[in-house]
Amino acid sequence: MSYKHNNLMAMRENYWNDTNSAQVQKEKKFFQQTLLEQAIHNNPSEDDAKYLFFSLPSIVIVKGYALGFQHDTVQAMIFKYIQDNKKLLQQKGDIKIQFRM
């Protein structure tokens, strides 16, 4: 595992495990709602949202941290990612995390 991968994975884990931030809790609900609206799951759980979050390309994670995951630019990237990977997300298949630096 590369140094960059370790840092980005730590960012993902720290974000997801943050139970004190109202913003993070709101964004987790946003991920669930997005899975519902994009017809990935009929009743998405927090685990479904976590799967989506951990599979997002690194550029989305970095921009989401900087701007917020509900920012229009970041939302567009998330929606495109979901559409490009719809079948894998529905099946919770193995998705290779995409890096683009």
Side-chain angles (χ1 to χ4, degrees):
M1 243 185 258
S2 73
Y3 178 73
K4 289 177 190 171
H5 176 77
N6 286 336
N7 284 343
L8 288 167
M9 186 56 73
M11 286 174 67
R12 292 172 200 268
E13 289 172 358
N14 287 338
Y15 174 88
W16 200 263
N17 294 328
D18 183 351
T19 57
N20 296 323
S21 170
Q23 181 65 28
V24 170
Q25 299 311 309
K26 182 179 172 190
E27 289 174 341
K28 286 181 182 180
K29 294 292 182 198
F30 159 73
F31 289 122
Q32 285 179 272
Q33 185 63 32
T34 299
L35 288 170
L36 180 65
E37 291 171 359
Q38 298 291 316
I40 303 299
H41 298 291
N42 292 332
N43 189 18
S45 67
E46 190 169 303
D47 281 342
D48 295 326
K50 181 179 181 180
Y51 178 80
L52 168 62
F53 179 77
F54 275 81
S55 70
L56 289 171
S58 298
I59 190 70
V60 177
I61 299 299
V62 172
K63 285 190 181 270
Y65 256 87
L67 302 172
F69 288 96
Q70 292 183 286
H71 187 275
D72 291 342
T73 303
V74 180
Q75 277 188 18
M77 294 170 78
I78 292 169
F79 296 157
K80 180 174 180 355
Y81 174 78
I82 289 172
Q83 289 307 308
D84 291 349
N85 295 283
K86 189 171 187 166
K87 289 274 187 233
L88 287 172
L89 289 168
Q90 288 172 328
Q91 299 167 352
K92 287 192 178 178
D94 290 335
I95 299 176
K96 184 177 178 179
I97 296 175
Q98 301 171 17
F99 294 94
R100 191 178 89 201
M101 301 306 255

